[in-house]
Amino acid sequence: MVMRARHRPSAMSQINVVPFIDVVLVLLIIFMVTAPMLQIGQIELPKVGQASSVAKRPIEVRLKANETWSLRGPGISNEEQFDSVDSLIERLGELPLKGENAAPVVLAADKSVQYGEVVHLLDQLKKQNIPQVGLLLQIDSRR
């Protein structure tokens, strides 16, 4: 009996890239067709005549370390002092804080004041629907 050696197939050392190219071309066509259909967000820029020429001077609300409130800014002749948030809010209601000629409100608090007092005032201003409220900070220039 003659024994023949079986021939084992050798390992394939090449990769067939034709299916990969087919998939890439299909994806390219899909992106080329769908890209023009995407809606791009548009921004409405202000017109030249609508821009205000001068920035309004803000109304400054200050909470001092002894927990008294003071108010100064346009429409206020001298710095006014208040003992409670309610009286301060009542006075702010008399000032032009809404509408087209609204002055922004900035809040400045001493660093020793508890944060809860500042949050309480911000909450009261939000309840009064005052649109422009900001915090006044002192930047450390030693850095």
Side-chain angles (χ1 to χ4, degrees), residues 83-130:
D83 292 332
S84 69
V85 175
D86 296 330
S87 59
L88 174 71
I89 293 294
E90 183 179 319
R91 176 64 175 113
L92 281 173
E94 300 169 2
L95 298 173
L97 300 176
K98 299 176 187 172
E100 195 171 307
N101 295 326
V105 175
V106 293
L107 175 61
D110 191 88
K111 65 181 178 181
S112 64
V113 173
Q114 290 187 2
Y115 189 67
E117 293 292 324
V118 177
V119 171
H120 179 66
L121 177 65
L122 288 173
D123 185 45
Q124 293 296 323
L125 293 173
K126 183 178 179 182
K127 287 179 183 176
Q128 296 295 322
N129 295 324
I130 297 173

Side-chain angles (χ1 to χ4, degrees), residues 57-59 71-78 80 91 94-96 103:
R57 201 172 127 221
I59 295 173
L71 190 64
R72 65 180 182 180
I76 303 166
S77 57
N78 294 329
E80 298 178 10
R91 176 64 175 113
E94 300 169 2
L95 298 173

Side-chain angles (χ1 to χ4, degrees), residues 22-56:
D22 290 341
V23 169
V24 170
L25 287 176
V26 168
L27 287 174
L28 178 66
I29 291 170
I30 290 171
F31 285 123
M32 287 174 57
V33 169
T34 58
M37 293 183 214
L38 294 176
Q39 289 188 3
I40 298 173
Q42 294 184 2
I43 299 172
E44 301 230 359
L45 297 173
K47 306 286 187 239
V48 175
Q50 293 177 345
S52 64
S53 60
V54 179
K56 302 234 182 258

